Amino acid sequence: MISESGDKLSTIYDIAEKTGLSASTVARALSGRGYCSDKAKKKIFAAAKELDYFPHEAAKTLKNNITNKIMLCIPDIMNPYYFAMIKEVTDTLEYYNYNMLLAYTMHSSKKELEILNSLKGHYVDGLIFGSFDYNPTLINAIKDTGLPTVITSFYKSSEYQEFYDCVYVNQSLAAWVATRHCVEKGHTRIAFIGGDPKEQNTKERFGGYCKALEESGIPIDNSLVINADFTREIALHKFQQYISKGGKCTAVMACNDLMAIGCMNACSNLGLKVPEDISIVSLDNTEYCICTNPQLTSVDMMQGKVGVEAVKLVMDRILSKREYRKDVVFSPQIIIRESVKNQVPGD
């Protein structure tokens, strides 16, 4: 048998020849079934390692280049945004008799590239890739894997765009919807709580926030822009610091539910009430929204639907050998609960 690199794969007969033991003894040792002395096992395992022996199923995978596995890469394993996506990817893959491998990139561009580089050996048949910041370096690394790939945001690459599909919710529109909801409730001093301003996710959401304000004749105030890295802890610290230093706002548009909850925690620590003193709206609409008091108004980012469509597209590339790009975009919808109140002029 020949590997993808052209090298001959070792067999149990090669191990038998090297150790001077019978092929049946080697098979028993490697399978763990039947008797084999400890001395013989040590000799066999050492030879197998030296010969880079692949077990039968791994060799079969290399021969057919089929693993029946899809990898889902996500940047934050603690973010509830991804919970519905993971579930729907897993459930939808079952329909195709495929399994999901989950990779956690730690919101690190270095880790993203390391994982993509490791996939060049085709240990999976396809890839669904989530990131806070798609960029030319990342897209080039995705192309270099040679795998059918779907990314979970929109990114246009003039050079490599045929190598991947996009399934996403319009993030700019989502932020616009959330901010516009506050404006319609009479708020004019609306804080923006986002992540790294250099990353795609924050850029797109900040753009939607700015557009909603500009359309309403409300000037952009940079003092109302707070960067909190999409985490509850940092949002709590940054928003509490902002208010403690005299910052004024009547509403907050948080770029995810975790940061919105962090702002709620900060308000509680400072003796402020939501929404009586400060209204809060967020993006994601995870189950966390109904666990807060008051329940959190949030824009549904359709994570589950994104997961389902991502699987369909990656399997279409695998099964139909499609080589051109498809994009699927969902429109965000605001789910109104109790965390935003009407702002009376002069309050």
Side-chain angles (χ1 to χ4, degrees):
M1 189 177 294
I2 307 298
S3 71
E4 289 183 327
S5 64
D7 297 328
K8 182 178 181 295
L9 294 176
S10 298
T11 68
I12 62 170
Y13 300 101
D14 297 317
I15 297 173
E17 182 179 350
K18 186 171 184 65
T19 59
L21 299 168
S22 69
S24 59
T25 300
V26 172
R28 288 197 301 273
L30 294 175
S31 68
R33 294 190 294 268
Y35 175 76
C36 183
S37 69
D38 290 340
K39 182 178 178 181
K41 283 182 181 178
K42 289 179 181 179
K43 199 172 183 181
I44 289 166
F45 290 148
K49 184 176 181 180
E50 185 178 341
L51 293 170
D52 290 327
Y53 169 76
F54 285 92
H56 174 70
E57 287 303 315
K60 182 179 176 182
T61 291
L62 286 173
K63 178 183 178 182
N64 298 321
N65 201 28
I66 297 172
T67 69
N68 288 100
K69 295 180 179 67
I70 300 295
M71 179 173 284
L72 172 64
C73 288
I74 60 173
D76 186 355
I77 204 166
M78 299 299 290
N79 190 334
Y81 170 88
Y82 293 102
F83 296 170
M85 185 182 295
I86 292 169
K87 179 185 183 302
E88 294 302 331
V89 167
T90 303
D91 290 350
T92 310
L93 281 172
E94 280 198 3
Y95 172 82
Y96 296 95
N97 292 317
Y98 263 67
N99 294 311
M100 183 195 74
L101 296 181
L102 182 63
Y104 167 37
T105 60
M106 305 178 187
H107 194 173
S108 162
S109 57
K110 180 181 178 182
K111 188 67 174 177
E112 287 177 340
L113 295 177
E114 286 177 357
I115 288 175
L116 289 170
N117 186 59
S118 74
L119 294 178
K120 290 179 181 178
H122 285 218
Y123 300 112
V124 294
D125 298 337
L127 176 65
I128 299 170
F129 201 91
S131 175
F132 290 156
D133 188 32
Y134 297 94
N135 55 69
T137 300
L138 182 60
I139 294 298
N140 183 51
I142 286 172
K143 186 266 297 183
D144 285 347
T145 66
L147 293 170
T149 299
V150 178
I151 67 173
T152 59
S153 286
F154 176 76
Y155 187 85
K156 187 172 183 179
S157 168
S158 58
E159 189 174 359
Y160 301 129
Q161 64 178 355
E162 298 303 315
F163 289 94
Y164 61 92
D165 300 319
C166 296
V167 181
Y168 63 102
V169 169
N170 187 319
Q171 298 192 76
S172 180
L173 179 58
W176 181 91
V177 167
T179 307
R180 182 68 187 172
H181 179 66
C182 293
V183 171
E184 289 173 346
K185 292 289 187 178
H187 296 273
T188 58
R189 286 193 61 79
I190 305 167
F192 174 89
I193 312 290
D196 186 335
K198 296 178 182 178
E199 292 183 337
Q200 179 188 1
N201 274 18
T202 300
K203 286 180 182 178
E204 291 184 1
R205 297 177 189 199
F206 183 65
Y209 162 83
C210 290
K211 182 179 179 182
L213 295 182
E214 289 167 352
E215 288 177 350
S216 303
I218 301 172
I220 307 299
D221 184 346
N222 288 329
S223 71
L224 290 167
V225 179
I226 301 170
N227 301 316
D229 199 36
F230 287 101
T231 66
R232 184 195 66 84
E233 296 84 359
I234 296 180
L236 188 163
H237 171 72
K238 291 287 188 72
F239 191 63
Q240 185 165 308
Q241 186 180 59
Y242 170 79
I243 297 296
S244 297
K245 290 185 176 180
K248 301 290 184 182
C249 67
T250 62
V252 172
M253 200 293 285
C255 282
N256 73 357
D257 291 342
L258 287 178
M259 292 190 292
I261 292 169
C263 291
M264 283 185 160
N265 297 154
C267 287
S268 178
N269 292 344
L270 295 168
L272 300 173
K273 292 184 177 181
V274 178
E276 290 84 356
D277 298 312
I278 295 178
S279 292
I280 300 177
V281 64
S282 66
L283 308 183
D284 283 357
N285 191 41
T286 65
E287 289 192 359
Y288 282 29
C289 293
I290 59 175
C291 299
T292 60
N293 186 20
Q295 293 188 359
L296 185 61
T297 292
S298 188
V299 176
D300 193 342
M301 300 295 279
M302 313 290 183
Q303 302 93 305
K305 290 185 177 180
V306 168
V308 170
E309 290 302 317
V311 171
K312 289 180 179 179
L313 285 182
V314 78
M315 293 308 301
D316 181 43
R317 281 190 178 259
I318 291 169
L319 300 177
S320 302
K321 310 300 181 184
R322 174 172 55 83
E323 295 182 350
Y324 58 90
R325 172 168 162 167
K326 285 186 178 181
D327 291 345
V328 176
V329 58
F330 293 102
S331 294
Q333 297 178 349
I334 191 164
I335 308 300
I336 297 174
R337 297 189 179 92
E338 304 159 356
S339 61
V340 179
K341 78 173 186 71
N342 289 317
Q343 180 69 12
V344 178
D347 282 1

